[in-house]
Amino acid sequence: MGNPIYLALDFNDWQETEQFLDKHQLDRVAVKVGMELFYHEGPDVIKRLRDRGHDIFLDIKLHDIPTTIYKAMKNIAKLDVELTNVHGLGGGEMIRAAKAGLLDGAKNSKPPELLAVTLLTSMQKEVLEQELNIQGSIEDTVTHLAKLAQDNGADGVVCSAHEVRALKAICGRAFLAVTPGIRLLNSDSDDQKRVATPALAKRNGADALVIGRSITLAEDPKQAYIIAKEEWNA
Ligand code: C5P
């Protein structure tokens, strides 16, 4: 995985997406395609972005029984994306099935790397405890899920920048940590709760950032992208 920033293309359809990329000259930047765009456009959106030279993180957070996940991942492996993911809460057998599907589906090409979502960056401790009955600190839960993901073949996790240090101490530096919930200094947190700046994520050892609204809703998205990249490189 060689890209430090994945721009979250949280747009409703291809027209909006293409207009945004063209208007702000975000040529060939690495992008993240999530459920909103993928469910509207289908796999064809991946081909269109590949044809424009974008590396892609397909963020559809699968969570189902192992057999279904295996078959879904076999199909995803043929899409030519760099990264994709499942929910770590799906358990070890499901994560192993995801990895096997990616390897079997890719055949002779390079399989996408598999990330497991630990806890969504929109989650807070109260929700985990009171609604989901998950006790213990967020850091402990995230590191536990990261270790589970690693032991079952995932290449890394999606987590908040605040948990990267702890999980790298347990899983090692080579285990990937991709961090959403990133905000530039003057931007709103929106529905995200465990937010961090690009600089903090980098300092804590993140391998890549996912950034959406701090760039897409900025007055000058290209400039916001450049600032994020500069902060990362500093
Ligand atoms: O706009 P913002 O930067 O908050 O967007 C974050 C993106 O990262 C969204 O597309 C969201 O689905 C995704 N994401 C996340 N938290 C995770 C995994 C993915 O926010 N744990």
Side-chain angles (χ1 to χ4, degrees), residues 31-190:
V31 294
K32 184 186 81 72
V33 174
M35 298 181 195
E36 183 184 356
L37 185 59
F38 193 73
Y39 288 151
H40 192 278
E41 296 293 342
D44 204 41
V45 72
I46 302 298
K47 186 174 177 327
R48 289 185 212 152
L49 288 164
R50 291 292 306 148
D51 289 347
R52 291 174 58 115
H54 298 277
D55 280 347
I56 300 164
F57 168 14
L58 180 59
D59 173 30
I60 45 176
K61 303 185 183 70
L62 298 183
H63 190 165
D64 207 322
I65 60 170
T67 306
T68 303
I69 292 292
Y70 171 79
K71 290 175 182 169
M73 283 298 184
K74 230 173 141 179
N75 287 337
I76 286 173
K78 297 183 175 69
L79 293 182
D80 196 14
V81 298
E82 206 191 358
L83 292 169
T84 192
N85 57 3
V86 291
H87 270 289
L89 287 166
E93 189 184 349
M94 191 200 79
I95 296 168
R96 285 201 303 283
K99 184 69 179 185
L102 290 176
L103 293 175
D104 290 352
K107 294 225 171 91
N108 301 325
S109 57
K110 188 174 180 294
E113 289 186 287
L114 177 66
L115 303 177
V117 177
T118 53
L119 292 179
L120 296 170
T121 39
S122 54
M123 287 271 190
Q124 282 173 305
K125 192 166 162 42
E126 298 74 57
V127 175
L128 294 178
E129 282 177 0
Q130 289 158 25
E131 295 182 14
L132 305 180
N133 200 19
I134 298 177
Q135 308 302 327
S137 72
I138 287 202
E139 194 174 284
D140 285 350
T141 307
V142 168
T143 46
H144 174 79
L145 288 170
K147 186 77 176 72
L148 176 82
Q150 185 178 40
D151 289 346
N152 287 284
D155 301 290
V157 287
V158 183
C159 63
S160 107
H162 301 285
E163 295 116 28
V164 176
R165 257 179 219 280
L167 78 86
K168 292 263 181 179
I170 297 205
C171 301
R173 284 177 66 96
F175 191 62
L176 302 172
V178 176
T179 59
I182 299 296
R183 291 293 177 271
L184 301 181
L185 279 180
N186 54 356
S187 46
D188 205 308
S189 295
D190 307 296

Side-chain angles (χ1 to χ4, degrees), residues 9-21:
L9 295 177
D10 293 325
F11 297 110
N12 190 49
D13 58 25
W14 175 248
Q15 199 189 353
E16 246 183 75
T17 307
E18 192 178 37
Q19 262 171 14
F20 176 82
L21 292 169

Side-chain angles (χ1 to χ4, degrees), residues 194-231:
R194 304 192 326 277
V195 297
T197 59
L200 181 74
K202 172 83 179 275
R203 246 191 341 268
N204 286 354
D207 297 281
L209 313 173
V210 168
I211 312 182
R213 287 163 288 185
S214 273
I215 293 175
T216 56
L217 300 183
E219 230 164 81
D220 183 345
K222 175 84 177 204
Q223 188 57 21
Y225 181 86
I226 291 170
I227 289 170
K229 205 158 184 185
E230 281 172 357
E231 246 196 68

